Amino acid sequence: MGGWAIALHGGAGVDPNLPLHRQEQAKQLLTRCLNLGISALRSSLPALDVVELVVRELETDPLFNSGRGSALTENGTVEMEASIMDGTKRRCGAVSGLTTVKNPISLARLVMDKSPHSYLAFSGADDFARQQGVELVGNDYFITEENVGMLKLAKEANTIMFDYRIPAVGLETCSAGAAAAMEKMNGLPISVYAPETVGCVVVDVEGRCAAATSTGGLMNKMTGRIGDSPLIGAGTYACELCGVSCTGEGEAIIRGTLAREVAAVMEYKGLGLQDAVDFVIKERLDEGKAGLIAVSRNGEVACGFNTTGMFRACATEDGFMEVGIWE
Ligand code: ASP
């Protein structure tokens, strides 16, 4: 065994014009959450508990797109989704369409641990949340002023927004590069930059891998839209070999079954972790669409993306540590 390793992300696809102070804010949050995970690992918390702990913290902070600060639907509401997977037994839990659960990742964990199912959505998930006594809050708790402004921009531009943009920077003022990156998805103009879904992957000292992903989805998404984040094998996957969490355009990640592909090429092609990640990004993912973080049971950490950037942080037991946004 190679010791523990941890990686977390705050979303792939970053506006190249993101102001420096916003970059700093993101890095500070990533560093705080990374340190939280490292302390938990040093206290011998199992991988599964660590991914839940870290994602809860990211959900609670409004900066990224999960829990409080989630992207808004076309109706201005929040519909959150999340999934978690325990690599040791390939157990999993997922939730979609949550409107009042403060920490969606913990409800996904309860679906895995306390229900006979793997995936609950919408009113059934809400009923289960009440039954389990998890903390509930009004939908307003999740809605930030900034996201209301972004939804307005998205509607004005008739776009499903993938960008990390702040309302002060109107679409009309975006750089030529960012404008050129606009493309169409099913006839709708979109930008290729993803919002800031969060995820965490961990291998603990026992070599147990786990993965967790949580999101509000895409800004101005249709109500009822489900992305890759709650889909095991697409946005999240963990097995005996590795743990993977993806971020980016959900539709592209679903088409590529991205998270499972990393495990599959390790299992069937015998590739190492970073080679597997590079292979999947190159061979299974449309250009400019997404990124992912991964750990292996050997205590390795890897990440890859083909977007402009990906908010990320990682560390391994032997002292390696990185917090970054760009390549
Ligand atoms: N993958 C997420 C979704 O499509 C978005 C993201 O990763 O930022 O819902």
Side-chain angles (χ1 to χ4, degrees):
M1 292 298 159
W4 58 255
I6 177 169
L8 47 129
H9 69 73
V14 186
D15 185 346
N17 298 323
L18 186 67
L20 272 179
H21 74 276
R22 297 302 302 250
Q23 298 184 32
E24 268 321 301
Q25 231 180 341
K27 282 189 191 166
Q28 273 170 21
L29 176 58
L30 290 166
T31 307
R32 183 160 65 74
C33 291
L34 182 65
N35 285 329
L36 181 73
I38 292 173
S39 314
L41 282 161
R42 288 192 176 134
S43 317
S44 304
L45 220 66
L48 191 62
D49 292 342
V50 180
V51 294
E52 184 187 353
L53 179 81
V54 169
V55 168
R56 276 182 71 95
E57 191 67 21
L58 288 160
E59 285 174 343
T60 303
D61 192 292
L63 194 69
F64 292 132
N65 168 17
S66 65
R68 181 144 194 265
S70 278
L72 307 177
T73 67
E74 59 189 355
N75 293 339
T77 54
V78 159
E79 289 181 1
M80 298 165 290
E81 45 196 18
S83 65
I84 191 164
M85 189 158 184
D86 171 6
T88 55
K89 303 195 187 89
R90 299 199 188 193
R91 294 183 316 130
C92 58
V95 285
S96 282
L98 301 184
T99 53
T100 57
V101 174
K102 191 173 176 217
N103 289 108
I105 198 63
S106 293
L107 191 65
R109 172 91 189 253
L110 287 165
V111 169
M112 176 172 83
D113 288 343
K114 299 274 167 63
S115 88
H117 303 301
S118 301
Y119 193 171
L120 289 176
F122 296 94
S123 61
D126 279 332
D127 292 346
F128 179 67
R130 272 190 297 275
Q131 219 179 67
Q132 292 296 318
V134 302
E135 190 173 355
L136 303 177
V137 289
N139 202 242
D140 281 359
Y141 161 85
F142 302 104
I143 300 175
T144 62
E145 217 176 284
E146 180 165 288
N147 283 345
V148 171
M150 286 176 74
L151 178 65
K152 192 163 165 275
L153 282 181
K155 281 187 178 292
E156 278 163 12
N158 186 27
T159 183
I160 295 170
M161 206 184 235
F162 286 66
D163 271 14
Y164 191 99
R165 282 173 202 261
I166 54 171
V169 182
L171 290 177
E172 69 287 349
T173 65
C174 70
S175 72
M182 296 288 277
E183 58 175 53
K184 300 221 177 231
M185 181 175 70
N186 297 332
L188 285 176
I190 57 164
S191 109
V192 296
Y193 307 113
E196 311 70 40
T197 288
V198 306
C200 181
V201 291
V202 165
V203 57
D204 60 27
V205 276
E206 310 281 334
R208 295 175 293 207
C209 298
T213 312
S214 180
T215 189
L218 304 178
M219 187 61 76
N220 202 20
K221 68 180 181 181
M222 290 172 69
T223 56
R225 179 260 187 189
I226 291 174
D228 61 297
S229 306
L231 299 184
I232 297 298
T236 306
Y237 193 73
C239 60
E240 310 74 36
L241 290 175
C242 63
V244 184
S245 171
C246 302
T247 167
E249 187 197 297
E251 285 69 10
I253 298 169
I254 292 170
R255 285 196 294 278
T257 52
L258 226 56
R260 169 62 196 156
E261 284 289 284
V262 172
V265 294
M266 290 179 79
E267 197 173 338
Y268 301 132
K269 276 169 90 72
L271 295 189
L273 186 73
Q274 188 66 59
D275 287 345
V277 169
D278 294 344
F279 177 87
V280 167
I281 298 279
K282 189 157 174 277
E283 302 296 333
R284 295 287 179 266
L285 181 62
D286 301 341
E287 190 48 44
K289 296 293 189 191
L292 59 88
I293 51 170
V295 290
S296 77
R297 72 167 162 205
N298 302 326
E300 297 156 312
V301 73
C303 68
F305 53 93
N306 65 12
T307 49
T308 39
M310 178 169 77
F311 295 107
R312 63 194 185 278
C314 52
T316 58
E317 189 168 8
D318 59 18
F320 168 76
M321 195 191 261
E322 186 192 59
V323 178
I325 302 177
W326 317 109
E327 203 132 349

